[in-house]
């Protein structure tokens, strides 16, 4: 089972991060969390790695619908979007919202997952 929606881009890491933020905002997502994995692993473990950022994206109306269907769904929220480098390319990956349905087994989660997927796909497409 694939759990990611992925686009590969050229350009700088920082430019891509800003473009991702804008594309997500255009689709109604705000960024609730930001984890700089590269900086964290360097600071905590002295481990050097490529730029790797996890953005916790949330669309409040969709989050509310998901929480109304299953209060435990917070374990799978927000929708994580990863921006990372691989060689001279920048990879942007978003969680596939269908995992909400697969993992919970709740049919009520399908409309939420479908709408989240539509919006995330539109954001990823806008980057290309």
């Amino acid at each position: 089972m694939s759990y990611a929606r992925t686009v590969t881009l050229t350009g700088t890491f920082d430019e891509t991060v800003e473009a991702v933020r804008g594309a997500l905002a255009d689709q109604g997502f705000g960024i609730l969390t930001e984890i700089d994995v590269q900086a964290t692993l360097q600071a905590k473990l002295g481990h050097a790695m490529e730029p790797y950022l996890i953005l916790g994206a949330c669309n409040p109306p969709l989050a509310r619908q998901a929480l109304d269907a299953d209060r435990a769904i917070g374990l799978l929220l927000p929708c994580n979007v990863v921006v990372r480098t691989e060689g001279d390319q920048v990879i942007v990956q978003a969680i596939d919202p269908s995992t909400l349905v697969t993992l919970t087994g709740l049919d009520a989660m399908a409309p939420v997952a479908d709408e989240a997927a539509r919006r995330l796909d539109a954001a990823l497409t806008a980057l290309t």
Side-chain angles (χ1 to χ4, degrees):
M1 175 180 127
S2 175
Y3 57 92
R5 295 169 181 268
T6 304
V7 295
T8 302
L9 307 168
T10 56
T12 71
F13 180 80
D14 291 335
E15 289 169 344
T16 301
V17 169
E18 288 311 307
V20 168
R21 289 178 190 280
L24 289 170
D26 289 346
Q27 293 301 318
F29 289 92
I31 305 300
L32 296 179
T33 59
E34 181 175 318
I35 303 167
D36 185 337
V37 177
Q38 179 189 40
T40 300
L41 293 183
Q42 181 62 46
K44 301 292 184 184
L45 303 174
H47 176 73
M49 67 176 288
E50 72 280 358
Y52 194 111
L53 184 68
I54 302 171
L55 300 173
C58 177
N59 179 294
L62 293 177
R64 179 180 174 215
Q65 286 178 314
L67 288 163
D68 286 348
D70 180 9
R71 286 291 200 235
I73 201 67
L75 293 166
L76 301 174
L77 298 178
C79 293
N80 282 329
V81 177
V82 170
V83 182
R84 62 186 177 88
T85 61
E86 191 171 284
D88 61 349
Q89 297 179 316
V90 183
I91 311 296
V92 180
Q93 295 179 293
I95 186 72
D96 184 339
S98 70
T99 59
L100 299 176
V101 180
T102 303
L103 291 175
T104 65
L106 295 173
D107 292 338
M109 206 60 70
V112 178
D114 290 346
E115 181 61 16
R118 187 189 69 71
R119 291 173 180 264
L120 287 171
D121 285 345
L124 293 174
T125 298
L127 298 170
T128 58

